Amino acid sequence: MALTDIDESLYSRQLYVIDHDSMRRMGKADVLIAGMRGLGVEIAKNVILAGVRSVTIQDEGVVEWRDLSSQFYLKESYLGQKRALCSEKPLSSLNVYVRVTAHTNKLNEDFLQQFQVVVLTDSTLDEQLRLGKFCNSNNIKFIVADTRGLCGQLFCDFGDSFEVRDTDGDTPVSAMISHISKENPGIVTCTEEESHQFTDGMFVTFSGIQGMAKLNGCEPIEIKVRDKYSFSICDTSGFSEYERSGVATEVKQSKILNFKPFHVALDEVFRDHELLEMMDYGKTKRHLSLHLAFLALHKFSEENSRTPSPRSQADAELLVNIAKDLSVTKRFSDLDEDVVRKLSMVAMGDLAPLNALIGGLAAQEVLKAFSGKFTPLRQWLYFDALECLPEVESLTEEACAPKDCRYDGQIAVFGSAFQDKLKKQKYFLVGAGAIGCELLKNFAMIGLGAGEGGSIIVTDMDSIERSNLNRQFLFGSHDIGRMKSEMAAESVKKMNPYMNITAHQNRVAPETEQVYTYSFYSQLDGVAAALDNVDARVYLDKCCVRNRKPMLEGGTLGSKGHTLVVVPHLTESYGPSTSGGQKAIPLCTLKNFPHRIEHTLQWARDQFEGLFKHKAENVNQYLSDQAFVERTVTRGDVEAVEVLEGVYRSLTQGRPQNWTDCVSWARRRWETLYNNDIRQLLHCFPPGQLTSSGLPFWMGAKRCPHPLTFDTNNATHMDFIVAAANLYGQIYGIEGSRNPADVQRILQGVNVPEFIPKTSVKIALTDEELKEDHEARNDEDKVKLEGLRDRLSKLQLSDPNFRMNPQEFEKDDDYNFHMDYIVAASNLRAENYDIPTADRHKSKLIAGCIIPAIATTTAAIAGQMCLELYKLVQGHQQITSYRNAYINLASPYFVLSQPCPAPKLTVAGKQYSIWEDFLLQGRHKGREEMTLEELLKHIKDKYNLTITGLYYGPAVLYSDSNHEARMNLSISDLIRSVTKSEIPVHEEMLEIIPSFAEDEDCLNVPPIRYLLR
């Protein structure tokens, strides 16, 4: 990667996780990854996608059957060939900016000197000790990663003085200032709109302060929090008086960390437990036992020249004895012999999900090693998923013996019968983006649905874009424009040719319920959700609960990620959204009183949508739909006037005839937005205005604006004109120009009308006042509306086929003027209000609602999801066997917790869970459909409950007080009669909510799920 040139179209989502400076550091890094089995290739994949300068993959070994269980770039035809050479070409294709080379000789000190980071996988303890000492003494960052069956290990040594430039990667917090006192120490009081997020010991700097200007741009000052609205700073008694405005912003401080060399940390961890990172707090006593067990495993392999055989009791006891001897030597008295024994049983295993999890974590540590971004692991981490093993012990040596097949690494852990069960599974994957790609890779490796009777259906309605390639590794540049689900299915078929996979391009939503019916869900074994928004997850979760299917759910946000396992009759579901989503910005804040860059960016997005999308759409509807005007009138006078006035102006005086007209429009628009509107606001509320309480009107969150004066030499001014003029031309089909000289020439002849603020204008201070103003204009708007209807009815166009071209906002196209307009419009607005501006990168994040993403987190989350999949397929019934996870690779911080049990509700003294319902077969073979009377009787006879009411959505189907006449109607006819509409032909199951005489006050009751056929 060129040091000054970052391909933002490729790395756009990652750049919101790892900043430009860190990316440039990564672009100078050379990494060695030793071992090209499943774990090594996972680490290499993630590091290459991230964009380092070079990756060298080293492995002396050749491809074996068990490698195919998790090494996704190896094929059966590669058996006996060098693993490193087989992996070189596919890894090279992941990122054109990264040089990938293979090395098949032994590692020696001279070879290691060319690298900044060395990663060992599948290595002996002797190699780890020898190379660890060399790397530590030569300032080479050293990482050891290993997986054995269901257990994983990770170690980092970044030297005795490692600088972390940003410990957590979180956006620096900031707060609006309402007052700063003159005293020692000075007290900074923040506005009451929302409490500040500062903590003791943070450092802040200031900007935009009027009065106590000496603080603006000062060196970072350490703060002490007083309460949620104030904090103290330095001595301000010698400063001038504070007047108004200002923002306090956190300044991230670097941190120096000291690491112990591998050979020291190996024993020191028994004395200093802070060297061990906890991952599953339900297993805190296991972590050190696993450390000792891995040491014992190395000793076993050294003495026996092999790994313990799967399920061998003799080998397990031998490993336990070695561990017991080591525990005496290490003075460790809390050895968990059962953990050592289980490790021995599974150590020959090689599992794709665990390699994905540990590989994601290890790759993130590689990136930390040379970027200084995020806090490194200090220094050991152990993970086990031994609860994936059968809840009832049943495996034998024979069942887990190798079969010379591609699943040998998995059979060694779970046995051949479980492998057969995996092949027969039918799973539905919703989403083929970043997590979806990783899940499909894991599905291919473990053989999910890859046998007779098994299948995977994957659906995703999106096509592949360049920005996807940085983390959705199943796609290449030659796939851009193709459908994600189709290409993902093709790619994993190459990894495992036995996969039975079908690609759909549907959204899973109410509008596709004719595709994803009750029958569809009935034939599934489970569902995996790889979605990027809460609403879609909530809907899919509802489908799983209704059809009693397990669901695996996972999501990421930059370095953070979570997983959730939903098990019918055992755990809670994902459930409805309780977060409330992002807080809406009040309209009056957007229109007149912005105080954050988020406000100006949202204002700019609204301007874009209104000017270049909605007006054009409205015009096209008017031109093609004769009922458009009358339909618009029913939306209310205020909205109807705005829409119809926009349509009329767009087709008359607002319609440009040429490029000159477009530039003229853009110049006048600039004057309106950044000069006239601001002057009108200041005319209504002058800078010195006081409130009825005698306080300054312009204080706190109300920032006093100032008008701008247009200047052709100002780059932002010209950026707005060029972008706005081109967009205006595009919606009318007029070709524009990027030539600044051409635009400046036209600007010289533009007449900008003189503006005089009006005393009659009233500006609302709150959304409530705005609503009242609209209501007060009722009579005035009615007159306007009649006039518009009359003018539009008489409007004649010279070209009856004329249509406008609405612009759909697309943030990732750098040549369509969309982000050009947003950035310029927002920053000019910010300049009006003395709000710190945002560069294009930050503006795209906020205005485009981009979700930051990086391959490392995605891989780890998909790995954890598939570990839970093992449990679902086996049918684990103990809630203690399952894990939900939250991880933050930046901190690093890991929480694995037991899912919450399914909540209970009580009806007439009996408990039901969310998974329970009253399931009724509406029509038996050869019989007429059930009537309302029969339904009531069935519920009474079977459940001893008396129905007093039935509700189908908002419709009341039955009330025991006045619906006797409906008793002989079939349920289908009853619904048609009450709702005055037909039941959709695809509907197979109706959800009807009952109320019961035995418990009429019960608000939540199990639904009646009525099967139509």
Side-chain angles (χ1 to χ4, degrees):
M1 184 194 304
L3 302 186
T4 56
D5 215 9
I6 296 174
D7 187 343
E8 294 196 5
S9 66
L10 176 65
Y11 295 114
S12 63
R13 304 307 185 262
Q14 180 176 293
L15 281 165
Y16 295 114
V17 186
I18 298 177
D19 55 59
H20 287 73
D21 185 44
S22 297
M23 282 289 295
R24 292 187 180 96
R25 291 168 182 255
M26 286 162 50
K28 296 187 287 187
D30 302 307
V31 183
L32 169 67
I33 300 172
M36 274 298 108
R37 285 196 156 109
L39 178 59
V41 78
E42 276 285 353
I43 299 170
K45 177 229 342 157
N46 296 329
V47 171
I48 292 166
L49 288 171
V52 297
R53 179 165 60 191
S54 76
V55 171
T56 299
I57 54 174
Q58 183 273 343
D59 196 321
E60 302 170 62
V62 298
V63 179
E64 303 170 5
W65 274 115
R66 74 185 184 101
D67 295 332
L68 273 62
S69 296
S70 66
Q71 221 284 29
F72 42 85
Y73 286 140
L74 300 181
K75 303 177 182 179
E76 293 181 20
S77 59
Y78 293 170
L79 289 168
Q81 299 181 39
K82 292 281 189 180
R83 280 190 292 261
L85 296 177
C86 293
S87 305
E88 182 180 12
K89 184 176 179 181
L91 285 172
S92 297
S93 69
L94 291 175
N95 192 334
V96 295
Y97 296 108
V98 180
R99 186 175 71 253
V100 179
T101 55
H103 183 74
T104 58
N105 297 323
K106 282 187 178 295
L107 295 176
N108 58 58
E109 284 79 358
D110 289 341
F111 183 70
L112 260 58
Q113 286 181 339
Q114 61 186 295
F115 303 104
Q116 289 79 52
V117 183
V118 169
V119 184
L120 299 186
T121 71
D122 194 30
S123 55
T124 66
L125 182 60
D126 178 67
E127 287 176 313
Q128 294 168 9
L129 288 166
R130 176 172 58 86
L131 300 180
K133 285 181 181 178
F134 176 82
C135 289
N136 181 266
S137 61
N138 286 271
N139 197 29
I140 298 171
K141 311 301 183 291
F142 180 67
I143 296 172
V144 174
D146 201 1
T147 58
R148 302 297 182 100
L150 287 163
C151 302
Q153 173 194 59
L154 187 58
F155 170 83
C156 294
D157 170 19
F158 292 176
D160 58 4
S161 182
F162 180 78
E163 182 182 8
V164 180
R165 297 181 303 108
D166 182 350
T167 58
D168 57 18
D170 291 341
T171 302
V173 296
S174 62
M176 294 284 301
I177 298 167
S178 64
H179 186 261
I180 305 175
S181 66
K182 281 186 65 174
E183 57 184 312
N184 186 15
I187 306 299
V188 180
T189 305
C190 302
T191 59
E192 295 183 1
E193 270 65 25
E194 54 187 43
S195 59
H196 68 70
Q197 303 298 311
F198 298 122
T199 57
D200 279 345
M202 275 188 177
F203 285 76
V204 302
T205 190
F206 298 91
S207 61
I209 295 173
Q210 295 186 35
M212 202 176 280
K214 195 169 183 180
L215 283 174
N216 289 329
C218 65
E219 290 295 313
I221 299 171
E222 187 173 1
I223 68 168
K224 184 175 179 61
V225 172
R226 299 175 75 247
D227 56 42
K228 63 181 182 178
Y229 293 110
S230 67
F231 56 88
S232 62
I233 53 172
C234 60
D235 182 359
T236 59
S237 57
F239 296 172
S240 53
E241 288 286 345
Y242 172 84
E243 294 176 12
R244 64 170 180 261
S245 299
V247 177
T249 304
E250 176 194 5
V251 178
K252 294 290 188 81
Q253 300 295 297
S254 62
K255 189 175 182 181
I256 302 297
L257 300 179
N258 300 311
F259 290 78
K260 297 182 185 300
F262 180 84
H263 66 281
V264 174
L266 201 62
D267 292 335
E268 188 69 22
V269 67
F270 290 107
R271 295 181 291 275
D272 183 359
H273 294 177
E274 289 189 3
L275 292 177
L276 186 64
E277 182 70 44
M278 293 295 168
M279 194 159 184
D280 187 335
Y281 285 87
K283 305 174 182 176
T284 51
K285 292 184 178 179
R286 280 194 196 176
H287 292 78
L288 278 173
S289 291
L290 277 171
H291 182 72
L292 200 72
F294 268 78
L295 288 176
L297 202 56
H298 282 298
K299 190 171 179 61
F300 181 102
S301 299
E302 183 183 347
E303 293 177 352
N304 298 277
S305 300
R306 63 177 178 86
T307 302
S309 298
R311 312 309 300 181
S312 169
Q313 294 292 340
D315 283 355
E317 292 310 313
L318 182 54
L319 189 69
V320 168
N321 289 332
I322 295 172
K324 287 163 72 174
D325 291 342
L326 285 172
S327 68
V328 174
T329 306
K330 308 296 184 184
R331 298 180 181 179
F332 177 60
S333 59
D334 294 327
L335 179 65
D336 185 336
E337 294 183 17
D338 186 55
V339 169
V340 180
R341 195 171 284 108
K342 286 180 177 176
L343 173 62
S344 177
M345 299 285 189
V346 302
M348 274 293 290
D350 191 9
L351 302 177
L354 187 62
N355 286 331
L357 174 59
I358 300 298
L361 271 57
Q364 189 65 61
E365 297 305 311
V366 173
L367 305 184
K368 294 174 186 178
F370 37 71
S371 69
K373 183 84 170 182
F374 306 148
T375 302
L377 172 69
R378 307 209 23 232
Q379 293 184 251
W380 292 99
L381 178 142
Y382 285 91
F383 173 84
D384 80 81
L386 292 169
E387 68 278 359
C388 289
L389 292 170
E391 290 180 329
V392 178
E393 190 64 48
S394 59
L395 295 173
T396 64
E397 285 190 64
E398 183 181 0
C400 297
K403 304 293 188 289
D404 287 344
C405 75
R406 64 179 304 116
Y407 306 114
D408 275 356
Q410 191 162 258
I411 290 172
V413 177
F414 296 110
S416 54
F418 175 68
Q419 189 60 55
D420 292 338
K421 191 173 184 180
L422 272 172
K423 292 179 186 178
K424 295 175 183 176
Q425 294 291 297
K426 295 183 177 71
Y427 256 76
F428 182 34
L429 172 60
V430 185
I435 293 178
C437 284
E438 291 288 340
L439 285 174
L440 283 172
K441 173 257 295 177
N442 292 339
F443 291 172
M445 293 297 95
I446 69 177
L448 186 74
E452 186 176 349
S455 66
I456 291 173
I457 295 172
V458 56
T459 187
D460 195 306
M461 60 183 296
D462 289 342
S463 58
I464 298 165
E465 300 175 359
R466 181 165 170 75
S467 62
N468 301 146
L469 306 184
N470 171 238
R471 62 206 180 281
Q472 298 174 22
F473 84 108
L474 296 182
F475 312 137
S477 57
H478 53 282
D479 300 318
I480 292 173
R482 292 190 59 186
M483 300 306 295
K484 286 184 178 181
S485 58
E486 290 180 356
M487 192 58 227
E490 284 184 25
S491 296
V492 295
K493 282 279 285 184
K494 293 174 183 176
M495 292 179 175
N496 183 347
Y498 305 103
M499 291 286 285
N500 301 312
I501 184 166
T502 304
H504 290 185
Q505 290 81 47
N506 304 317
R507 186 194 304 276
V508 180
E511 57 264 30
T512 56
E513 286 182 355
Q514 73 274 18
V515 179
Y516 305 117
T517 62
Y518 172 76
S519 296
F520 173 84
Y521 281 101
S522 295
Q523 54 88 35
L524 295 176
D525 291 297
V527 174
L531 295 159
D532 61 1
N533 70 87
V534 171
D535 289 343
R537 291 174 180 139
V538 169
Y539 175 79
L540 186 60
D541 173 71
K542 182 180 175 183
C543 293
C544 289
V545 171
R546 186 170 60 216
N547 294 283
R548 299 177 182 176
K549 297 299 175 184
M551 183 178 80
L552 293 162
E553 191 274 323
T556 68
L557 181 66
S559 64
K560 304 178 181 73
H562 77 273
T563 66
L564 177 77
V565 58
V566 176
V567 188
H569 307 291
L570 191 63
T571 73
E572 66 178 356
S573 70
Y574 184 89
S577 174
T578 56
S579 65
Q582 195 169 8
K583 223 167 143 184
I585 304 169
L587 282 175
C588 284
T589 299
L590 291 177
K591 286 172 69 70
N592 297 307
F593 308 114
H595 54 269
R596 303 178 66 90
I597 196 64
E598 288 84 358
H599 300 161
T600 65
L601 282 163
Q602 183 60 57
W603 176 86
R605 266 302 300 270
D606 292 347
Q607 289 284 320
F608 179 95
E609 299 291 327
L611 292 169
F612 309 121
K613 180 173 185 259
H614 297 322
K615 277 186 182 176
E617 289 175 336
N618 291 335
V619 166
N620 290 347
Q621 287 186 56
Y622 163 75
L623 294 174
S624 59
D625 183 358
Q626 292 183 347
F628 173 75
V629 173
E630 295 307 317
R631 193 169 62 250
T632 302
V633 170
T634 64
R635 291 157 65 175
D637 293 346
V638 174
E639 187 177 353
V641 167
E642 184 180 339
V643 170
L644 297 181
E645 201 167 55
V647 168
Y648 185 77
R649 287 182 60 83
S650 297
L651 292 171
T652 55
Q653 67 265 40
R655 181 175 176 179
Q657 300 302 311
N658 49 47
W659 171 236
T660 297
D661 288 349
C662 295
V663 175
S664 300
W665 172 88
R667 173 65 184 89
R668 289 191 292 270
R669 189 73 193 167
W670 189 102
E671 196 70 18
T672 298
L673 295 174
Y674 305 112
N675 186 287
N676 301 350
D677 287 353
I678 301 299
R679 288 167 60 195
Q680 181 64 61
L681 179 63
L682 292 173
H683 181 77
C684 294
F685 305 108
Q689 174 139 338
L690 300 179
T691 67
S692 58
S693 304
L695 296 173
F697 175 85
W698 295 105
M699 66 176 294
K702 285 191 175 71
R703 303 175 72 95
C704 185
H706 62 273
L708 304 183
T709 302
F710 185 75
D711 181 1
T712 55
N713 294 316
N714 185 301
T716 310
H717 295 198
M718 289 301 294
D719 286 346
F720 177 92
I721 299 296
V722 172
N726 275 279
L727 288 168
Y728 201 60
Q730 286 173 21
I731 62 176
Y732 283 99
I734 296 171
E735 187 175 349
S737 170
R738 289 180 178 273
N739 188 335
D742 173 47
V743 175
Q744 290 208 13
R745 176 185 55 77
I746 297 172
L747 285 172
Q748 291 173 4
V750 175
N751 176 41
V752 179
E754 184 182 356
F755 174 77
I756 300 173
K758 298 179 178 63
T759 305
S760 59
V761 170
K762 181 183 178 185
I763 294 176
L765 297 179
T766 66
D767 286 4
E768 290 74 21
E769 282 188 23
L770 191 63
K771 185 179 179 182
E772 290 171 6
D773 289 349
H774 286 167
E775 292 170 354
R777 283 169 34 198
N778 198 31
D779 292 339
E780 180 186 341
D781 284 333
K782 284 188 185 301
V783 173
K784 277 187 180 179
L785 200 52
E786 286 307 313
L788 282 165
R789 293 170 75 171
D790 181 59
R791 278 179 280 164
L792 284 168
S793 67
K794 298 173 182 176
L795 185 62
Q796 297 290 324
L797 295 182
S798 57
D799 179 7
N801 295 318
F802 170 77
R803 294 293 185 273
M804 294 182 70
N805 306 305
Q807 297 295 297
E808 283 289 342
F809 179 65
E810 173 49 63
K811 58 188 174 291
D812 289 321
D813 184 343
D814 289 334
Y815 301 97
N816 63 6
F817 296 103
H818 295 191
M819 279 308 303
D820 296 342
Y821 178 84
I822 297 292
V823 175
S826 170
N827 283 340
L828 288 168
R829 178 84 162 168
E831 189 180 343
N832 277 138
Y833 286 86
D834 293 315
I835 297 170
T837 58
D839 61 16
R840 187 185 186 91
H841 182 64
K842 182 178 179 180
S843 298
K844 185 190 284 191
L845 172 70
I846 299 169
C849 300
I850 288 175
I851 300 174
I854 189 169
T856 50
T857 315
T858 303
I861 286 301
Q864 178 61 33
M865 290 172 71
C866 289
L867 289 173
E868 298 306 303
L869 175 63
Y870 283 143
K871 304 168 189 177
L872 290 175
V873 174
Q874 291 178 87
H876 281 14
Q877 291 302 307
Q878 298 176 20
I879 199 167
T880 53
S881 296
Y882 293 94
R883 294 289 184 275
N884 292 337
Y886 171 78
I887 66 173
N888 184 350
L889 301 190
S891 300
Y893 179 70
F894 312 98
V895 176
L896 276 76
S897 60
Q898 181 180 306
C900 294
K904 302 288 186 181
L905 47 96
T906 303
V907 180
K910 183 179 178 181
Q911 283 197 330
Y912 298 84
S913 83
I914 58 167
W915 295 99
E916 294 178 278
D917 55 28
F918 303 111
L919 188 65
L920 297 181
Q921 183 69 51
R923 190 194 305 270
H924 292 281
K925 290 181 181 178
R927 292 179 57 185
E928 294 294 318
E929 186 185 349
M930 180 181 285
T931 64
L932 172 60
E933 184 176 23
E934 289 171 334
L935 185 150
L936 301 182
K937 185 177 184 302
H938 177 88
I939 296 295
K940 180 64 177 177
D941 292 346
K942 185 170 183 178
Y943 301 101
N944 197 30
L945 291 170
T946 305
I947 292 177
T948 58
L950 290 173
Y951 308 91
Y952 181 68
V956 180
L957 299 182
Y958 168 71
S959 172
D960 61 355
S961 60
N962 58 2
H963 286 155
E964 286 298 318
R966 298 178 178 179
M967 298 298 281
N968 292 322
L969 290 176
S970 71
I971 299 302
S972 296
D973 287 341
L974 175 61
I975 289 174
R976 292 187 192 99
S977 172
V978 174
T979 63
K980 303 293 190 293
S981 61
E982 288 294 320
I983 298 171
V985 292
H986 66 268
E987 200 77 71
E988 297 178 3
M989 182 171 67
L990 305 176
E991 190 163 287
I992 302 170
I993 305 300
S995 61
F996 301 108
E998 291 80 3
D999 204 341
E1000 287 191 318
D1001 295 331
C1002 187
L1003 297 177
N1004 296 310
V1005 297
I1008 293 172
R1009 294 200 167 106
Y1010 182 85
L1011 297 176
L1012 289 169
R1013 46 188 172 272

